[in-house]
């Protein structure tokens, strides 16, 4: 089974392929133009759909029956794999909430702007992480503060 981050990247890549088309947001056009907002809306909706489909597949596999490995080692491996799969699905459940929040921000005209500084997040960052809510600088400052408070 894939790691959670690799799975998330794979699902996002599938969503990008699924929306297809020739359009890709660029720095050369006005920031958060109608075309860019539409691109990110479609990307987020496709990403969410892909996550929900993966979750449905996992649920279907779980309903097919318990693990029936005769060998204890094989059973332990299967149970470990299922544990990882369920943790991945839980992480994706949390990601769906972030996707819904990003979709709400698009509708309210707040998408693409840092929630801390109000500055544009940047097209490159949004393409890499469509649910980003902070600029790279604001995110780094947030992580430094988080680390300092954790170390205290």
């Amino acid at each position: 089974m894939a790691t959670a981050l690799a799975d998330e990247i794979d699902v996002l890549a599938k969503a990008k392929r699924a929306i297809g088309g020739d359009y890709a947001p660029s720095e050369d056009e006005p920031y958060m133009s109608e075309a860019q907002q539409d691109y990110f809306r479609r990307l987020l909706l496709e990403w969410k759909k892909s996550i929900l489909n993966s979750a449905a597949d996992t649920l279907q596999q779980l309903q097919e029956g318990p693990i029936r490995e005769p060998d204890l080692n094989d059973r332990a491996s299967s149970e470990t794999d299922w544990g990882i799969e369920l943790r991945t699905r839980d992480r994706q459940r949390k990601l769906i909430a972030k996707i819904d929040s990003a979709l709400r921000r698009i509708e309210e005209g707040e998408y693409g702007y840092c929630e801390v500084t109000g500055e544009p997040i940047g097209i490159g960052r949004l393409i890499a992480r469509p649910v980003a809510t902070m600029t790279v600088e604001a995110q780094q400052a947030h992580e430094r503060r988080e680390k300092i408070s954790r170390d205290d």
Side-chain angles (χ1 to χ4, degrees), residues 71-149:
D71 182 65
L72 289 177
N73 290 328
D74 289 343
R75 181 176 289 190
S77 289
S78 294
E79 289 176 359
T80 300
D81 288 347
W82 274 112
I84 292 169
E85 181 74 16
L86 292 173
R87 281 194 302 276
T88 299
R89 295 298 157 235
D90 186 54
R91 180 181 166 101
Q92 288 181 339
R93 178 186 55 80
K94 294 173 185 172
L95 181 58
I96 287 175
K98 290 180 181 181
I99 291 171
D100 288 339
S101 177
L103 289 167
R104 179 195 50 77
R105 288 193 313 275
I106 289 173
E107 297 307 315
E108 294 175 359
E110 299 170 0
Y111 184 78
Y113 295 92
C114 181
E115 65 183 17
V116 176
T117 65
E119 296 175 10
I121 292 173
I123 294 299
R125 178 159 167 77
L126 290 172
I127 288 172
R129 183 85 176 143
V131 294
T133 59
M134 291 185 252
T135 61
V136 171
E137 296 80 14
Q139 183 69 41
Q140 288 172 336
H142 172 75
E143 289 172 3
R144 277 192 303 274
R145 284 189 305 275
E146 201 173 69
K147 182 181 183 319
I148 289 169
S149 66

